[in-house]
Amino acid sequence: MTSPVKVYGTPLSTAAARVLACLFEKDVDFQLIPVNLAKGEHKKPEFLKIQPFGQVPAFQDESISLFESRAICRYICEKYADKGNKKLYGTNPLAKASIDQWLEAEGQSFNPPSGALVFQLAFAPRWKIPQDQDAIKQNEAKLGKVLDVYEKRLGESRFLAGDDFSLADLSHLPNAHYLVTATDRAELITSRKHVERWWDEISNRDSWKKAVELQKSP
């Protein structure tokens, strides 16, 4: 029997939560190994061997080590293609290309402004860091333009890459979750009819609910 894959990090990390949701969606056994960021464990030499940039998550599957959450998710989908949700990363080249283009949109267009808002609105107050109101205003405007594109797309398609829930949708969950549940900017999602419908559907998947439960663990 093969040993479970290992995820190094904290479920509170948006990038780690992305990987955890993918593992739940694919029904792959894993071991979560906590990394205490406050104590600088992500900068220690032994961690830097598997994640040279000193960020979470890091991932190990037997002798294989990977970093960058979206690459890890693609690997999980390819390696464990016959487990769990078999359509998560497409079943043919065209489906994969469609998923990849929306994954790129998430990484390049959605993640920067939504991540900045999550930091400024959800985490800065917790860490007693002064909020940058200019950054909040600028990133709210940027994210609004991205979500306007999503609104049009999701008026034509059930999910971003087509009729099936995919890695493209899953990748949006961590930042959108904090935006909706931990900031006062939920209306960026809820004020757009098709984006709200999509959000309600993807955020209620069992895989994401399990990832959120891990975030609540002590």
Side-chain angles (χ1 to χ4, degrees), residues 123-207:
F123 288 106
R126 291 188 201 177
W127 299 337
K128 296 180 171 54
I129 297 172
Q131 291 176 314
D132 184 334
Q133 296 300 326
D134 286 341
I136 292 171
K137 185 176 180 179
Q138 290 169 10
N139 283 290
E140 187 174 0
K142 288 178 183 177
L143 183 58
K145 290 178 181 178
V146 173
L147 291 173
D148 286 343
V149 174
Y150 282 34
E151 178 70 4
K152 184 175 186 300
R153 169 60 178 170
L154 292 166
E156 303 163 348
S157 177
R158 182 178 175 189
F159 297 104
L160 287 173
D163 293 331
D164 297 309
F165 175 81
S166 76
L167 210 50
D169 307 291
L170 181 150
S171 198
H172 289 77
L173 281 163
N175 277 1
H177 172 77
Y178 277 121
L179 205 60
V180 170
T181 65
T183 81
D184 60 359
R185 298 302 197 279
E187 74 273 4
L188 283 162
I189 300 289
T190 59
S191 66
R192 292 168 169 85
K193 174 184 174 182
H194 300 299
V195 172
E196 182 183 37
R197 184 268 310 159
W198 167 75
W199 168 249
D200 285 344
E201 186 163 358
I202 67 173
S203 62
N204 277 296
R205 292 185 73 84
D206 286 343
S207 56

Side-chain angles (χ1 to χ4, degrees), residues 79-113:
K79 169 77 181 286
Y80 300 97
D82 294 332
K83 290 180 68 70
N85 182 348
K86 297 177 177 63
K87 294 182 177 179
L88 192 61
Y89 191 37
T91 55
N92 61 68
L94 182 58
K96 279 182 166 49
S98 183
I99 292 166
D100 274 334
Q101 70 181 359
W102 286 102
L103 264 175
E104 286 293 321
E106 184 273 323
Q108 301 295 329
S109 299
F110 177 87
N111 185 66

Side-chain angles (χ1 to χ4, degrees), residues 29-81:
D29 291 334
F30 66 90
Q31 178 184 3
L32 179 60
I33 301 172
V35 177
N36 191 319
L37 305 182
K39 293 182 178 178
E41 291 179 356
H42 56 308
K43 301 298 183 183
K44 291 186 176 180
E46 57 268 30
F47 185 78
L48 293 173
K49 287 180 181 177
I50 54 174
Q51 217 301 9
F53 293 100
Q55 299 170 337
V56 294
F59 176 88
Q60 286 185 318
D61 187 358
E62 297 180 344
S63 62
I64 294 168
S65 295
L66 293 171
F67 59 93
E68 289 297 338
S69 60
R70 296 167 190 81
I72 293 168
C73 288
R74 287 184 176 102
Y75 169 83
I76 293 165
C77 289
E78 296 280 18
K79 169 77 181 286
Y80 300 97

Side-chain angles (χ1 to χ4, degrees), residues 3 27 82-83 118 160 211-212:
S3 57
D27 196 22
D82 294 332
K83 290 180 68 70
V118 167
L160 287 173
V212 171

